[in-house]
């Protein structure tokens, strides 16, 4: 039987403490001196290890040590009461402190569940406190977990029943051959069996009544700080009273022995807009856009024109965490944080058959950020920025190359990366440096990327599981008429420009033909954002040269928005010195032009391109 290094050291420490307690070292020295003096000739007084062990066995010291080497727990202090391998009942002795010896297997993992009292059992609000020796109605709590059953000590029925019991639940795997292995946090995450708790009331005549039944999800302790968490369990009634609260039990969960490495809270404690915890992998699923989006790059453009807004931070102190939105909430709101954008883009790219992952890391100055990564069949790693739609090919820098060797210059804004995940995998970066520029994205190499158990992810992230997010909705076609919306925004902008120039004492003359000639440029800008291909620029430049007479100057300023508020867009444009110079143009034969082009995407998302231009005769 082999032990992991951390358990071997723990077992050595326990054995060492017991040896010190029994003064075994002193007794060994006595045996050693006695054996050399009595059994060996003076000229051969050198004792081998085998001789010493034989002498210790003959004197019964080895057997005595093995007999005494057991785990000792303080029932009242720690209340870590173990049970036989197949217990049927379980009572906790609440007498003055007594050291109780238990035969806990040091190679197994246990969940220690304590019930630390109850409250709000309002049905018993007027229940008088029983006198000593008086027969009264009692509560008994029964538990079942993976073929193990437990029963608490009966306590008198009261508004605040005095439950103070501890149960040691063995956490093990069902697979044959794994019974002797110490399970780790990721393996335990795959054990989806809840702790079934049943509360029974026994009246003074011995008749029993089912009060409540509750299934406790215990795996939150795997991400808890110090491996300990406290939960308040609200028990509901049964039958016709299944929606009525019966009372609340205070539960304390603790892993024993304590885990050396807890799961990151981001894995198990990502809250949606309802404050419900979901594993991050459950936010990703392959999503097909039907005929609404034709290519992965068009999908990236669609996600980038969804509005960006920082998510609110939930909690305080060290327990702060950001809110992630379910897909329906993100789509209906039409804006979200970078995590919401990355989750949607990753799901769409998976729907197109790509191997996509959400990356969690930082940008410049250590700002937390998420983006998307795809892995090509030829090993090419491509980063997708979900907020802009930009794509970057990753070419790692080799830190072992000579200083003068030419290295690729990263164009992406990312600095560090901690983990990547999708709907089936979660991998932690365990390379010497988490700097993106030197990371090697060979996800099959476990020396570089530590994977979480696929079984664990499936057990908590598959559709239909308790911790999974709701089913993904289909994407809806846009309800915006692009032509009508473009005309409305353009008309509003003309009015705003005219009023602004009037306030400056300037007249305004619009050139409709010049305005129309700006359309190809706006279409080319959107095409380039979607496909990364620039086209049509030559025709646009030729048309402008023909429309601007000799001796005249042409100026143009394109700008892009993801909203359709003309007044807000105009105020933003005025903050640009180049745009303000065009709108406030002074000179001879000044002609102004403005063109608006709205490009619609699913979920009524849109890209709004605006171009202001002017032409005037140069007087110098």
């Amino acid at each position: 039987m082999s032990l992991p290094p951390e358990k071997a050291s723990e077992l050595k420490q326990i054995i060492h403490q017991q040896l010190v307690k029994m003064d075994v070292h002193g007794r060994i020295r006595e045996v050693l001196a006695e054996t050399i003096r009595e059994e060996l000739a003076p000229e051969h007084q050198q004792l081998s290890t085998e001789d010493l062990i034989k002498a210790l066995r003959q004197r019964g010291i080895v057997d005595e040590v093995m007999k005494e080497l057991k785990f000792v727990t303080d029932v009242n202090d720690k209340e870590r009461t173990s049970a036989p391998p197949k217990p049927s009942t379980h009572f906790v002795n609440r007498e003055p402190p007594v050291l109780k010896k238990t035969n806990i297997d040091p190679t197994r993992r246990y969940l220690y569940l304590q019930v630390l009292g109850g409250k709000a059992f309002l049905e018993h609000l007027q229940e008088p406190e029983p006198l000593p020796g008086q027969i009264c109605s009692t509560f008994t709590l029964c538990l079942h977990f993976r073929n193990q059953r437990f029963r608490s000590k009966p306590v008198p029925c009261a508004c605040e029943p005095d439950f103070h019991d501890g149960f040691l639940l063995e956490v093990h795997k069902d697979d044959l051959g794994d019974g002797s292995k110490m399970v780790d946090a990721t393996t335990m995450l795959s054990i989806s069996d809840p702790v079934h708790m049943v509360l029974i009331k026994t009246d003074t005549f011995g008749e029993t009544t089912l009060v409540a039944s509750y299934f406790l999800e215990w795996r939150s302790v795997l991400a808890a700080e110090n491996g300990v968490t406290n939960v308040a369990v609200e028990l509901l009634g049964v039958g016709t009273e299944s929606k009525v609260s019966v009372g609340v039990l205070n539960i304390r969960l603790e892993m024993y022995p304590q885990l050396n490495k807890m799961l990151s809270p981001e894995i198990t404690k990502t809250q949606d807009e309802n404050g419900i915890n979901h594993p991050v992998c459950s936010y990703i699923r392959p999503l097909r856009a039907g005929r609404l989006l034709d290519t992965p790059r068009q999908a990236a453009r669609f996600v980038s024109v969804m509005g960006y807004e920082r998510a609110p931070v939930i909690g305080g102190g060290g327990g702060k965490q950001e809110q992630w939105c379910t897909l329906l909430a993100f789509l209906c709101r039409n804006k979200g944080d970078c995590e919401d954008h990355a989750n949607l883009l990753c799901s769409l790219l998976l729907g197109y058959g790509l191997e996509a992952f959400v990356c969690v890391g930082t940008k410049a100055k250590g700002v937390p950020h998420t983006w998307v990564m795809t892995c090509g069949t030829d090993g090419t790693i491509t980063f997708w920025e979900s907020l802009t739609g930009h794509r970057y090919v990753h070419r790692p820098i080799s830190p072992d190359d000579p200083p003068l060797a030419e290295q690729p210059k990263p164009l992406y804004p990312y600095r560090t990366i901690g983990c990547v995940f999708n709907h089936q995998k979660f991998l932690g970066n365990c390379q010497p440096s988490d700097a993106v520029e030197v990371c090697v994205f060979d996800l099959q190499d476990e020396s570089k990327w530590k994977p979480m158990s696929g079984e664990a992810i499936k057990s908590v992230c598959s559709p239909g599981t308790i911790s999974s997010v709701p089913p993904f909705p289909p994407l809806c076609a846009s309800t915006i008429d692009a032509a009508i919306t473009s005309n409305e925004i353009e008309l509003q902008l003309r009015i705003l420009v005219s009023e602004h120039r009037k306030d400056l004492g300037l007249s305004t003359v619009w050139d409709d033909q010049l305005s129309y000639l700006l359309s190809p440029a706006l279409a080319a800008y959107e095409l380039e954002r979607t496909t990364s291909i620039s086209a049509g620029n030559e025709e646009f430049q030729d048309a402008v040269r023909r429309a601007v007479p000799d001796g005249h100057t042409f100026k143009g300023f394109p700008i892009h928005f993801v909203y359709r508020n003309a007044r807000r867009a105009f105020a933003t444009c005025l903050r640009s010195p180049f745009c303000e110079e065009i709108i406030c143009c002074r000179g001879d034969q000044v002609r102004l032009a403005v063109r608006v082009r709205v490009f619609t995407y699913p979920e009524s998302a849109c890209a709004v391109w605006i171009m202001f231009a002017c032409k005037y005769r140069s007087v110098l």
Side-chain angles (χ1 to χ4, degrees):
M1 179 182 67
S2 61
L3 287 176
E6 65 273 9
K7 301 319 300 173
S9 60
E10 182 178 341
L11 191 57
K12 289 178 181 178
Q13 181 66 22
I14 293 173
I15 294 173
H16 175 72
Q17 292 174 354
Q18 187 66 29
L19 294 178
V20 171
K21 177 182 176 182
M22 298 177 63
D23 193 24
V24 172
H25 297 89
R27 297 168 68 179
I28 289 176
R29 284 192 292 269
E30 293 176 3
V31 172
L32 180 60
E34 183 180 340
T35 303
I36 292 176
R37 185 174 61 252
E38 296 180 359
E39 300 181 10
L40 295 178
E43 64 275 10
H44 297 97
Q45 289 191 355
Q46 291 185 353
L47 192 63
S48 66
T49 303
E50 291 77 8
D51 294 333
L52 179 58
I53 293 296
K54 181 180 178 181
L56 292 173
R57 287 187 182 278
Q58 289 174 349
R59 288 162 175 77
I61 294 177
V62 173
D63 292 337
E64 184 179 349
V65 170
M66 296 305 294
K67 188 184 300 182
E68 292 295 326
L69 189 57
K70 293 184 180 180
F71 290 87
V72 179
T73 57
D74 187 331
V75 177
N76 275 16
D77 182 30
K78 290 290 185 180
E79 289 190 308
R80 286 180 174 152
T81 308
S82 71
K86 294 182 180 179
S88 57
T89 60
H90 180 91
F91 299 102
V92 171
N93 184 10
R94 296 178 57 206
E95 296 299 321
V98 177
L99 289 178
K100 181 176 180 181
K101 296 179 180 179
T102 58
N103 295 320
I104 298 176
D105 187 344
T107 67
R108 297 297 184 96
R109 187 79 69 186
Y110 295 89
L111 171 67
Y112 184 49
L113 185 152
Q114 292 175 274
V115 186
L116 304 177
K119 58 184 178 181
F121 284 77
L122 301 181
E123 184 179 344
H124 302 277
L125 184 61
Q126 303 298 328
E127 199 90 17
E129 186 173 347
L131 299 174
Q134 179 184 355
I135 298 176
C136 63
S137 300
T138 59
F139 282 140
T140 304
L141 189 64
C142 304
L143 276 71
H144 170 236
F145 178 70
R146 296 179 70 80
N147 226 23
Q148 304 163 79
R149 292 183 61 182
F150 303 85
R151 181 184 295 267
S152 73
K153 181 179 179 180
V155 299
C157 295
C159 181
E160 297 184 357
D162 191 24
F163 285 110
H164 280 86
D165 288 336
F167 308 96
L168 202 62
L169 316 179
E170 182 181 339
V171 182
H172 58 84
K173 295 192 66 176
D174 294 330
D175 299 340
L176 295 177
D178 288 341
S180 62
K181 294 182 179 179
M182 175 80 75
V183 292
D184 56 16
T186 55
T187 303
M188 285 189 288
L189 189 62
S190 67
I191 301 177
S192 57
D193 299 9
V195 178
H196 190 186
M197 307 170 63
V198 172
L199 184 64
I200 299 294
K201 178 181 178 181
T202 306
D203 63 18
T204 55
F205 300 101
E207 294 293 327
T208 57
T209 304
L210 177 61
V211 178
S213 176
Y214 185 85
F215 292 92
L216 175 66
E217 172 55 68
W218 57 274
R219 288 176 291 185
S220 60
V221 71
L222 301 179
E225 187 176 359
N226 300 324
V228 180
T229 185
N230 294 281
V231 293
V233 172
E234 182 182 13
L235 301 179
L236 300 179
V238 296
T240 57
E241 298 183 350
S242 59
K243 303 297 183 182
V244 180
S245 176
V246 171
V248 177
L249 292 179
N250 295 319
I251 305 292
R252 177 184 172 93
L253 300 173
E254 181 177 0
M255 293 311 303
Y256 181 76
Q258 186 174 352
L259 292 169
N260 288 329
K261 185 176 182 180
M262 313 305 296
L263 292 179
S264 169
E266 285 79 11
I267 302 174
T268 57
K269 283 193 172 183
T270 303
Q271 291 190 359
D272 65 10
E273 64 274 9
N274 297 312
I276 299 176
N277 294 330
H278 300 289
V280 293
C281 295
S282 66
Y283 286 85
I284 309 296
R285 289 177 202 166
L287 180 63
R288 294 169 59 177
R291 299 187 184 278
L292 300 178
L293 299 168
D294 296 322
T295 67
R297 297 191 184 190
Q298 191 178 17
R301 179 59 176 157
F302 155 60
V303 175
S304 71
V305 298
M306 300 282 283
Y308 170 69
E309 182 177 84
R310 289 287 303 273
V313 176
I314 303 170
K320 290 184 179 180
Q321 53 184 303
E322 288 191 349
Q323 170 187 299
W324 291 21
C325 283
T326 57
L327 180 57
L328 182 62
F330 176 43
L331 295 176
C332 294
R333 190 166 174 244
N334 227 253
K335 59 182 176 181
D337 208 339
C338 60
E339 291 87 359
D340 304 320
H341 287 78
N343 291 340
L344 175 56
L345 178 56
C346 183
S347 297
L348 288 169
L349 296 182
L350 287 169
Y352 282 109
L354 301 179
E355 186 180 11
F357 296 87
V358 173
C359 302
V360 180
T362 63
K363 295 193 297 184
K365 298 182 179 179
V367 177
H369 191 62
T370 58
W371 64 98
V372 178
M373 172 185 77
T374 54
C375 306
T377 55
D378 60 352
T380 301
I381 301 298
T382 305
F383 294 147
W384 303 63
E385 177 48 60
S386 59
L387 297 180
T388 63
H390 293 164
R391 300 166 63 254
Y392 309 94
V393 176
H394 176 257
R395 296 182 177 87
I397 294 174
S398 176
D400 298 327
D401 283 354
L404 297 181
E406 187 176 356
Q407 297 279 13
K409 185 178 181 180
L411 300 177
Y412 44 77
Y414 318 120
R415 293 295 179 264
T416 66
I417 182 168
C419 63
V420 300
F421 67 89
N422 59 18
H423 63 306
Q424 294 178 330
K425 298 178 181 179
F426 187 102
L427 302 108
N429 183 7
C430 54
Q431 298 175 62
S433 172
D434 60 358
V436 177
E437 59 185 12
V438 298
C439 276
V440 176
F441 287 89
D442 181 4
L443 302 184
Q444 308 303 319
D445 187 347
E446 293 193 11
S447 68
K448 295 181 173 62
W449 295 93
K450 177 66 175 176
M452 178 182 284
S453 164
E455 183 183 352
I457 294 175
K458 185 177 180 181
S459 70
V460 296
C461 298
S462 297
T465 55
I466 296 176
S467 57
S468 178
V469 297
F472 277 18
L475 296 182
C476 292
S478 177
T479 58
I480 298 174
D481 187 306
I484 293 177
T485 305
S486 299
N487 287 333
E488 290 177 348
I489 297 175
E490 188 172 311
L491 179 59
Q492 294 175 40
L493 287 176
R494 284 197 176 200
I495 295 174
L496 291 170
V497 170
S498 298
E499 291 178 347
H500 184 74
R501 288 177 60 84
K502 184 178 179 181
D503 292 341
L504 298 176
L506 302 173
S507 62
T508 305
V509 180
W510 293 101
D511 188 329
D512 293 337
Q513 176 62 17
L514 183 60
S515 296
Y516 179 73
L517 295 182
L518 303 179
S519 294
L522 300 182
Y525 297 149
E526 182 63 21
L527 178 66
E528 184 176 4
R529 288 290 183 96
T530 305
T531 64
S532 300
I533 298 174
S534 179
N537 190 46
E538 297 83 358
E539 294 86 349
F540 168 67
Q541 291 182 358
D542 188 65
V544 169
R545 290 191 188 100
R546 292 177 177 275
V548 179
D550 291 340
H552 285 65
T553 300
F554 171 84
K555 293 181 179 180
F557 177 80
I559 191 169
H560 168 257
F561 299 99
V562 295
Y563 52 82
R564 304 186 301 277
N565 188 320
R567 188 172 294 276
R568 179 182 171 190
F570 182 66
T572 302
C573 292
L574 285 178
R575 287 198 289 268
S576 168
F578 303 102
C579 186
E580 185 186 24
E581 183 180 344
I582 293 173
I583 293 174
C584 303
C585 180
R586 301 169 185 263
D588 189 18
Q589 299 181 20
V590 175
R591 298 293 182 268
L592 296 176
V594 62
R595 192 65 172 174
V596 177
R597 182 71 167 88
V598 175
F599 298 88
T600 59
Y601 288 91
E603 299 295 332
S604 297
C606 60
V608 180
W609 283 97
I610 301 174
M611 190 168 187
F612 291 99
C614 68
K615 65 178 181 179
Y616 59 92
R617 190 173 69 175
S618 302
V619 294
L620 297 178

